[in-house]
Structure formats: structure tokens, C-alpha cells
């Protein structure tokens, strides 16, 4: 062996490994052999003046030549999007030092400002592999983060990202702990609050496993992917915005952690609180209203869990300089008729337009939340917020503000309508007794939401309604017949999506 | 859309994702869209009468066509090695039910026989993704498994695999907790014990991150990959064997769990004990000697940790019907001269052949361990085991037995010799004061061990030796000049592999 190849030519493979950078290499290539790489080594890749720590996946086929290394999308982006064929060097990555704090936590030590900062910075830099993220999330699971640790992690998350600083000291925000289909109050609340001269720089998330996030819903009417500067301009001009949080780099580690939590179906009260509060602080908010729906298939299932969460949210908020108020609401059934981006958007527009067919539960809840926020922002005396919110809606100023925000973000369009629909009817008469929120969300996803914007479910009944046999219960909406068929298949095996109980005399 | 494609054609991609089955699919293919798959969905793949639960990785390039799904090696094997082009159907996998026990553990519940069995069976079936395995390992980390939980997990691991049942009630075994380079006493001990008519059905592991496991060392002299039946025949014929444990399916979940623990650099005392004891029970052993080396760069770093481990090993062993004895030994320096498969094999053969140049520390420790085991097996009275072991070595019966075992396993060959070597000399005179066991292991790995069987390190000094400037300290062995150069590079930045201290007067 006279010549030695100590570099490989990069090739973008177009493989989506989420935030975890992955590099692919033949197990019998010179670099893998001479570096002593084993499967799932953590390796450092250097290309020009960029570098990334990646997980190594070995290949035993002709997928790659002996001179090539493949890059996942995350690795390719972190290396500055190198052209195919560029040379890169590889060596073993040093162990991630902040993992020692995660190990310490497992042995009974507690996180403090220093360790929280080290961990969050390493996660942001992409230094944690997926299994390391899983270990961190597991170490924080349940009630294992106390108040001080939650505050430390929240602070670290805020300082890891960009942060808005507004001139006003009345900067409102709201958040819903979630788990309820529909419940898309945010756009209505932002419109009412901003129409009354308060600032409300709202960022929202996209759906990961649910049929729609607020960002998905808004995207059926306007642009939500905005730069930090664009969002600032919109808020300075209109008082409010409805941006996708992922595009403005507030608390950037949050999405990474949430993805792993969801994959593990593991909740951490401390992480939840750090996630919510860090995003509000980074958005420059000062008064925050948090809606905690409680119900058997919602995220929070008991009043005692809601009380614990309320305490942790308020105290962590206070430590970070926020005035946090919480409201515990009914999480027994969906709010509004639509589930899915465009169907939820239609509900929102009906409320804003004072349409006689607007879903009253969505309208009521939006007015209630907006009313409290107008009081928090001192635009209404205590007890007068609801009336002011109602006037703002009735006189059209809320709709005008909503449209103005959409135009500032990039334009306004009516949400699309699905081409394929199918109505499900009651099999017998009785009273609507139970909504399985999880099945409803699943059905809407199967029908194509949120990727197919017009897809989802339109509900025709609410809890307590009396229905006759044959009365419509809900309609499936899909953009393609295959997706519609798929949702119908699910219904074959799951009849108890909405339960009708025969009335007792 | 008139025709709908609800299947894809499989393609083996030759990607090594370890035990985690992965399936690759275009994010814009019909199946991904109609099933609503998102990145890292857990999907169930059906092909002919086989199925597998796999992690979905989405692809946004021409790596795959719209009609294809790629399989990782683990997915391909679990589907029964389908030919390229075979059709498969895909749908969302149901959540892994035993993960609820892992979540419960995080909320303060304890594992019992039922939950341990459910978890171990799911891990064996490949139902846990890597991040789920990480959550399980993290939930068990440190001292979080109590004795009852450790026993429950050990029982579950035993019943998940095959198990030997020998007619004798004297079935010996040994284990070393590890972390020390070299220290390859096992083949010598097996030879001595079996030569005295006791059964010793020994299985060993391959190296994962270290320069050699006992299985790698044995493989430089004989065949170690054996079926369950072949191993049984060898033991029935020769009384002992030296098989690779991975090939005989004893406690099959153990390797899966260990890999994640190592990647996280996370120890769990309970997992360690369950791993060791389950393999011994599955091997049909009844009397087990466990060597716990203690030293600053060994796996066990303090006497108190050694004592805790000793208690847990003995009590768990007793619960599973094993007579477990432990011996706490000096873990300050490597045992033997060689580090790397063939170099360790050379040490072993020198001891077995009563060669005057045989490393005395390896010989002594092997005799000590074998002596205790001969007493445990009642072949020698208490205090007489060492002398019997010594006689068995000196009169050549140990070497004869070793060769007979190798021949029964598939043949005997002399270990290979490296073509490229480089000797490192002392820079000044003094006393050998410290071995950095981690650096020594790393150097041997860089030189090519264990894949290059002849590669590794040959030590020329031991602790306390007086050396002159220029005296040889150790020699690097490599099969290729590139690997030799790579180890030398490492030495440039890490001078303190063996520390020589000037003598105080």
C-alpha cells in the first residue's frame, strides 16, 4: 500500500435523519479501517472550514464507493451544504462533555445554571445523538425536575436563541397546553388583542403527530415562515403576528427535545414548562395567559395535575420576569367544528366575520381568553375585558386586524376546500355522550391533515346533543380518494369515535 | 388518481443500523402520503408471511424510486432476507405496550417479573427503537434497580433465550467485570478446569470498543462461531469450550442493551449483574467465579463500588440458583504483555506451553482463578486448588486440553504475526509508575485491533520496573503501514501512556 487515502469525497444522500447528523461510509473503506471506526461511532467531519459531529452508519453494499462518504440532510446543512465531491476528513469525536451532567443527574445530582447551559448549548450545536437526547429527556421525565432545575433549563433555553425586545411593557402572549383537537382560538385572540393597541408577537408550532398546529392552520391563509426581522417588522406595524416559531429561531433546542419526547410518549412537567416559558421570554412577551384544558383524552387528565402544572408555570414565569396567568378549561370535547388546517381556518373566519353559522364554542372561548388578556394589558378594567373583546369582534375591527396581519406577513387567501367528502351518520338515536379526541385526531391525520391542507374532519354535533338515527355526526374531508378510503378503513375497526348513548327515562 | 399503489418493492440497501430495523422510503411516495407517515414513524412492514416493526427514515432524493422501499440489514434479516423487488405493505405500528412499564419506572413504580418479562421480550423481538432502548437503559442507570428488580430482569433475560442443561451438578464458569487491557486468563482457566474433568461451557464476547474480546483472541487460533448444538457437542466431548456467545443465542437481549449502554457511557449496576448472571444461567453453569479488577482506569474504580457489586452479584446469583463467588483483584495495570487478538493469544500459548518467557502475571492470575474453581468444583480441597492447577499446567495436560477444545471447535492454528512494528523507548530513566489503560486500549485499536488480528501492543515493562533512558517500553504491531502511522500520530499528542517517574533519593 503505497498511497494512503485519508479523506473521502462527500455525497449528499437526501436522507432525512431529523436533527441528528449522520454520515455513511463503507465499512471496508480506508478511512473507516485506519480510523478504527465501528458502527455508530461518533465522528467529526471536516470540510473546508466547516465541521460537524455525526453518527457513523456503516454500509456493506455498493450504495457508496470506497472513496465516498454520504451525508444525511442534517449533516449536509451543518457542513454548509458542500457540493458533491468535496473532500472531507474524519476522526473520532471527543465525548460530549455535558453528558457527564446527565449522568450526574441519574446519580442524584441536580442541574444548575452551569450544567443546564452546557447541555442546552451542546444540544443546539447538534452534539447530542438521538440516543443521548433520549437519555437527557428520560433523566428529566415525570416530576424529576424541581422548580430550580426547571428555571435553570428555561434560562439556558432562552439564552441559546434569538430574543425580541419590544419598547412597550405590555406585550401579551397566550399558550394552550394542548391535546384537544380544533381549539384554534389563537388567531382570533391575536386579532382582538392587537386591534386594541396591544403587542402580541405570537409564534406557533406546526403539527408533529396531530392533524394541525396553529402554524399549519395559518398557512392555509397566509405565509407563516418568516425571518426574525420580518416578524419584528410585522409586529411593529400591526401590533401582532401569527408566525411559525420554527422559522425565527426562538429557543431552538425546544423542537429537538419535543420530538424525542413525543417519540417516547414521555412527558416531563419541567420540560413542558421550560419549553413554554422560554419561547414566551424569547418572543419578548411580558404578560402570558396559559390555557390548560383538562379531560380524559387531553394532555392534562386531572385537576391535580393541572394544579401542579399551574404552580410550576407561574413560578418559573415569575423567575424569568413574566406575569403568567393560567386558566383551567373543559377538555372533554373538541372546540370548533373543523379539525385540519383549512377546516379550522374556516371556523376562525366564520367567527371573525360574525357569520351566523360560526361555531359558538370557539367564539365563546376566544372571547373569554381575549377578555382576560385585554385586562392583563390594562385595556379594560377587571370584569370588562369580555365586553371589549366582543365589541372588537362585532364591529369588524378584529377581522380587519386579522387581514392586515396576514397581508403584512405576505398576503391573504381563503382556505382551500376538499374535493372528496364522506358523511358519517348516527346508527341509533340518543344523546352525544363522549368524544374520543385521540381517534378524532387520528382520523383527520389519516385523511391527509396537515400535509393536505383541505383534509380533516368536520363535526356536526357537540356533547349533550340529542340525535335521531341517521343524523349526521361528522364529515371526512380529503384531497384524494385513497386518503378518504384509508380513514374509512380506520372507522371499520373503531366505531366508538363519538359515542351516542340511549336516553334513560 | 385511478390506480392506487399501496405496496412498495423492497430493496436491500446494505446499511448497518445495528439491531434497529430501519426502512427507507421517499417522502413523496404514495404509501408515505396515504399512510400519513412522518419522519421516524414506527411502521410495520409485511412481506409474504414475515413482518417487522421498523423505524421509518424518509428520503428526498433519487436514492430510491417512488415504487421502492429500502431495508437496513436488520430489517432485511428480520423479514427473512427477501429478494430485491419483492412486494411489501406498510402501516403505522401500534405503540410498544411494554414501554408503559418503562414510563411507570420513571414515575416511581418498580419492575416486577411481569413487567421485566414484557420489556425483555419486546426488546428481543426488535420492537424497541434505539431511543426507546436508551430510555430503558437510562431508567435503570446507576443504582436505580434494586435487588428484586435485578432478579426480575435477570430471570426475564434467561427465559428469552436458549438454555443448556448439563447432567453434572458441577458446571463451572468465570467472568471478569473488565476494563483492563490484556487480562486474557479465560482460555488458560478453561483448559485447566476441563483437564481436571469439570464442565466449563464458556461463552465470551467480541470487542465492541476495546481492542479485543476473548472471542476475538480465540478466533486468532480457532473457530468461535458455533451453533447451540455444536457447542453442546464440544462440551460433552471435551468438558469445556471457548465459544462466541453471540452465536449461541444465550440471553439474546444482552448485547442489544450493552451496545446502548456503551454508546451512552452509562453504567447500571443492576443491568451489569443481570447481564452476567443471565448468561451464566443460560449456559447451564452452577458455580461461578467473578473477577472484579479495581483500579483508576478499570471499570470498577473503588473498593466500595466493588463491594456493592459483589453483594448484588452473589445475591442475584443465589436467587437464580447459582453459587457465585467474587474475587477483587488489582486493576492498576494490564495483565500479560499483549493487547490485541493475536498478541494476547501468543501470551496464552506461552503460558500453556510453559515457555520460560511467558508473562508471569498472566500465569499467576490464571493459576489463582483456576485454583479457586477447582476447589469450587470439589476437585481439590480448600487451599489445594492452586497446586493442582499448577501441576495441570506443568505436566502439559492444560495445553493438551486447550488444543483438543480448539480441534473440536474446528481446528487449531498459530496466531498470525504482524508485518509492521515500531518500538517506543523511554525518554528518560526512572521507575514505571502508571499505565493509562484507556490510552493503551485506544492505541491498540488505532493500530487495527481487533479487526486486524495481528495488530495491537506488546508491553515490555510492568509497574515498578526500573528503566534506563532509551529502554524499550512497548512495541506497536500493525498489519498495514497506514494503521501504524495512525497509532504513532496519537502518540504525538498523548505522551503519558506509560509514565516513568524519576526516582526520589
Amino acid at each position: 500500500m503505497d498511497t494512503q487515502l485519508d479523506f473521502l469525497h462527500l455525497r449528499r444522500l437526501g436522507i432525512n435523519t431529523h436533527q441528528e447528523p449522520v454520515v455513511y461510509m463503507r465499512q471496508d473503506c480506508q478511512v473507516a479501517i485506519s480510523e478504527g471506526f465501528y458502527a455508530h461511532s461518533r465522528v467529526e467531519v471536516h470540510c473546508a472550514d466547516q465541521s460537524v459531529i455525526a453518527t457513523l452508519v456503516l454500509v456493506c453494499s455498493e450504495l457508496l464507493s470506497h472513496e465516498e462518504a454520504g451525508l444525511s440532510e442534517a449533516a449536509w446543512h451543518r457542513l454548509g451544504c458542500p457540493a458533491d465531491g468535496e473532500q472531507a476528513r474524519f476522526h473520532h469525536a471527543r465525548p460530549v462533555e455535558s453528558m457527564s451532567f446527565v449522568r450526574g443527574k441519574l446519580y442524584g445530582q441536580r442541574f444548575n445554571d452551569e450544567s443546564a447551559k452546557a447541555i442546552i448549548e451542546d444540544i443546539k450545536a447538534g452534539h447530542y445523538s438521538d440516543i443521548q437526547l433520549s437519555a437527557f429527556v428520560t433523566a428529566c421525565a415525570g416530576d424529576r425536575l424541581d422548580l430550580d432545575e426547571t428555571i435553570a433549563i428555561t434560562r439556558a433555553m432562552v439564552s441559546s436563541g434569538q430574543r425580541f425586545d419590544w419598547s412597550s411593557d405590555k406585550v401579551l402572549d397566550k399558550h394552550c397546553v394542548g391535546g384537544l383537537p380544533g381549539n384554534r382560538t389563537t388567531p382570533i385572540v391575536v386579532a382582538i388583542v392587537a386591534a386594541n393597541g396591544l403587542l402580541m408577537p405570537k409564534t406557533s408550532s406546526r403539527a408533529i403527530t396531530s392533524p394541525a398546529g396553529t402554524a399549519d392552520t395559518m398557512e392555509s391563509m397566509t405565509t407563516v415562515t418568516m425571518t426574525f426581522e420580518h416578524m419584528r417588522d410585522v409586529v411593529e406595524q400591526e401590533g401582532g403576528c401569527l408566525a411559525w416559531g420554527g422559522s425565527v429561531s426562538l429557543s431552538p433546542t425546544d423542537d429537538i427535545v419535543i420530538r424525542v419526547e413525543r417519540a417516547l410518549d414521555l412527558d416531563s412537567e419541567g420540560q413542558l414548562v421550560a419549553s413554554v416559558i422560554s419561547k414566551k421570554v424569547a418572543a419578548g412577551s411580558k404578560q402570558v395567559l396559559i390555557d390548560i384544558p383538562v379531560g380524559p383524552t387531553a394532555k392534562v387528565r386531572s385537576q391535580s395535575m393541572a394544579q401542579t402544572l399551574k404552580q410550576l408555570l407561574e413560578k418559573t414565569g415569575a423567575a424569568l420576569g413574566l406575569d403568567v396567568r393560567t386558566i383551567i378549561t373543559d377538555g372533554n370535547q373538541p372546540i370548533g367544528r373543523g379539525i385540519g388546517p383549512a377546516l379550522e381556518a374556516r371556523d376562525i373566519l366564520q367567527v371573525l366575520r360574525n357569520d351566523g353559522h360560526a361555531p359558538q364554542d370557539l367564539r365563546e372561548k376566544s372571547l373569554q381568553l381575549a377578555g382576560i388578556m385585554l385586562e392583563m394589558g390594562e385595556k379594560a378594567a377587571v370584569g370588562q375585558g369580555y365586553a371589549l373583546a366582543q365589541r372588537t369582534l362585532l364591529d369588524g375591527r378584529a377581522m380587519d386586524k386579522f387581514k392586515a396581519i396576514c397581508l403584512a406577513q405576505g398576503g391573504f387567501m381563503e382556505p382551500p376546500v376538499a374535493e372528496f367528502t364522506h358523511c358519517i351518520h348516527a346508527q341509533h338515536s340518543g344523546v352525544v355522550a363522549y368524544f374520543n379526541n385521540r381517534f378524532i385526531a387520528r382520523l383527520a391525520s389519516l385523511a391527509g391533515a396537515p400535509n393536505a391542507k383541505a383534509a380533516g374532519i368536520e363535526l356536526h354535533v357537540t356533547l349533550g346533543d340529542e340525535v335521531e338515527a341517521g343524523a349526521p355526526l361528522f364529515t371526512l374531508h380529503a384531497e384524494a380518494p385513497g386518503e378518504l378510503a384509508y380513514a374509512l378503513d380506520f372507522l371499520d375497526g373503531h366505531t366508538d369515535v363519538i359515542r351516542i348513548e340511549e336516553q334513560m327515562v
Side-chain angles (χ1 to χ4, degrees), chain A residues 374-391:
Chain A
L374 290 172
E375 293 171 14
M376 290 172 79
E378 296 177 2
K379 289 291 174 182
V382 174
Q384 304 298 313
Y386 183 92
L388 176 57
Q390 199 173 30
R391 283 200 303 280

Side-chain angles (χ1 to χ4, degrees), chain A residues 26 43 90 111 142 165 195 234 266 275 324 362 370 432 448 463 490 492:
Chain A
R26 283 180 69 127
V43 301
F90 302 82
F111 294 134
D165 191 13
V234 172
L266 206 61
S275 163
V324 172
L362 179 66
V432 177
L463 277 184
F490 180 84
D492 259 358

Side-chain angles (χ1 to χ4, degrees), chain A residues 174 183-190 192-193 289 335 347-348 351-352 359-374 385-386 389-390 393:
Chain A
K174 80 167 276 288
N183 197 24
R184 204 60 64 205
T185 58
T186 297
I188 302 167
V189 171
V190 168
I192 294 173
V193 170
L289 178 62
I335 306 279
D347 283 353
I348 290 163
V351 171
L352 287 169
Q360 289 307 300
D361 54 353
L362 179 66
R363 184 177 189 277
E364 271 312 303
K365 186 160 179 185
S366 302
L367 287 174
Q368 188 191 10
L369 297 174
I372 299 171
M373 295 180 76
L374 290 172
Y386 183 92
Q390 199 173 30
L393 193 61

Side-chain angles (χ1 to χ4, degrees), chain A residues 2-209:
Chain A
D2 285 342
T3 61
Q4 200 193 348
L5 192 69
D6 65 350
F7 61 84
L8 295 171
H9 297 283
L10 296 179
R11 178 145 71 96
R12 181 185 182 185
L13 288 180
I15 294 178
N16 172 9
T17 53
H18 267 306
Q19 102 296 333
E20 184 177 30
V22 174
V23 58
Y24 302 81
M25 194 182 286
R26 283 180 69 127
Q27 64 188 18
D28 53 355
C29 77
Q30 188 55 41
V31 167
I33 293 168
S34 68
E35 295 278 330
F37 289 153
Y38 47 92
H40 289 215
S41 291
R42 295 283 286 168
V43 301
E44 208 168 312
V45 188
H46 292 268
C47 174
D49 58 344
Q50 305 279 322
S51 71
V52 66
I53 293 178
T55 297
L56 180 68
V57 170
L58 293 173
V59 171
C60 56
S61 69
E62 300 301 316
L63 195 67
L64 293 167
S65 78
H66 286 88
E67 288 73 41
E68 281 181 320
L71 297 176
S72 76
E73 291 299 281
W76 182 74
H77 281 287
R78 284 202 183 256
L79 278 177
C81 313
D84 278 1
E86 278 201 46
Q87 292 183 4
R89 285 167 205 279
F90 302 82
H91 60 77
H92 279 278
R94 279 185 306 170
V96 183
E97 290 194 10
S98 68
M99 267 298 289
S100 66
F101 297 120
V102 177
R103 273 179 228 112
K105 171 79 182 159
L106 297 174
Y107 281 92
Q109 289 163 37
R110 293 166 63 215
F111 294 134
N112 57 25
D113 280 342
E114 181 210 358
S115 54
K117 194 171 169 62
I119 291 168
I120 296 296
E121 288 300 323
D122 270 335
I123 291 176
K124 182 190 172 191
H127 293 169
Y128 273 48
S129 67
D130 275 0
I131 62 167
Q132 288 171 328
L133 283 171
S134 174
F136 170 64
V137 163
T138 304
C140 300
D143 57 358
R144 290 199 175 173
L145 295 182
D146 65 22
L147 178 63
D148 289 341
E149 290 178 295
T150 302
I151 291 170
I153 288 182
T154 308
R155 276 205 194 102
M157 287 172 79
V158 170
S159 63
S160 74
Q162 298 200 75
R163 184 170 175 174
F164 286 102
D165 191 13
W166 311 102
S167 53
S168 171
D169 58 346
K170 297 291 175 202
V171 186
L172 282 290
D173 215 330
K174 80 167 276 288
H175 182 82
C176 175
V177 169
L180 214 55
N183 197 24
R184 204 60 64 205
T185 58
T186 297
I188 302 167
V189 171
V190 168
I192 294 173
V193 170
N196 281 288
L198 291 166
L199 291 187
M200 189 157 172
K202 186 80 189 83
T203 62
S204 303
S205 52
R206 290 187 191 277
I208 297 183
T209 59

Side-chain angles (χ1 to χ4, degrees), chain A residues 165-415:
Chain A
D165 191 13
W166 311 102
S167 53
S168 171
D169 58 346
K170 297 291 175 202
V171 186
L172 282 290
D173 215 330
K174 80 167 276 288
H175 182 82
C176 175
V177 169
L180 214 55
N183 197 24
R184 204 60 64 205
T185 58
T186 297
I188 302 167
V189 171
V190 168
I192 294 173
V193 170
N196 281 288
L198 291 166
L199 291 187
M200 189 157 172
K202 186 80 189 83
T203 62
S204 303
S205 52
R206 290 187 191 277
I208 297 183
T209 59
S210 67
T214 295
D216 300 304
T217 299
M218 285 306 302
E219 203 170 36
S220 72
M221 298 178 279
T222 187
T223 305
V224 295
T225 301
M226 299 160 77
T227 62
F228 186 85
E229 293 71 23
H230 185 189
M231 174 169 156
R232 190 185 54 212
D233 293 347
V234 172
V235 174
E236 284 178 350
Q237 182 187 318
E238 299 297 339
C241 71
L242 285 149
W244 170 43
S247 62
V248 283
S249 198
L250 307 179
S251 196
T253 58
D254 188 44
D255 291 345
I256 299 172
V257 169
I258 285 180
R259 182 179 63 76
V260 175
E261 282 183 341
R262 294 203 184 170
L264 291 174
D265 194 11
L266 206 61
D267 283 328
S268 157
E269 286 163 16
Q271 280 291 351
L272 170 66
V273 169
S275 163
V276 172
I277 301 296
S278 68
K279 289 201 164 165
K280 303 309 172 199
V281 173
S285 303
K286 285 153 194 171
Q287 294 83 20
V288 181
L289 178 62
I290 297 175
D291 173 18
I292 308 178
V294 179
T297 51
K299 186 153 191 166
V300 176
R301 300 187 191 186
S302 71
Q303 287 293 335
S304 72
M305 196 175 152
Q307 287 298 333
T308 307
L309 200 55
K310 171 187 164 77
Q311 293 295 323
L312 202 52
L313 281 163
E314 290 178 358
K315 287 180 180 164
T316 304
L320 275 283
L322 292 191
D323 173 15
V324 172
R325 292 195 208 171
T326 48
I327 174 170
I328 296 175
T329 58
D330 176 12
N332 284 298
Q333 66 176 335
I335 306 279
R337 287 198 196 95
I339 291 126
L343 290 166
E344 293 175 24
R346 196 170 70 176
D347 283 353
I348 290 163
L349 291 173
Q350 284 180 345
V351 171
L352 287 169
R353 283 168 172 153
N354 298 300
D355 185 319
H357 294 97
Q360 289 307 300
D361 54 353
L362 179 66
R363 184 177 189 277
E364 271 312 303
K365 186 160 179 185
S366 302
L367 287 174
Q368 188 191 10
L369 297 174
I372 299 171
M373 295 180 76
L374 290 172
E375 293 171 14
M376 290 172 79
E378 296 177 2
K379 289 291 174 182
V382 174
Q384 304 298 313
Y386 183 92
L388 176 57
Q390 199 173 30
R391 283 200 303 280
T392 314
L393 193 61
L394 286 171
D395 66 13
R397 283 189 297 133
M399 183 63 205
D400 291 346
K401 178 52 77 179
F402 181 77
K403 225 166 184 169
I405 289 171
C406 289
L407 289 172
Q409 290 192 184
F412 171 78
M413 58 185 170
E414 292 292 333

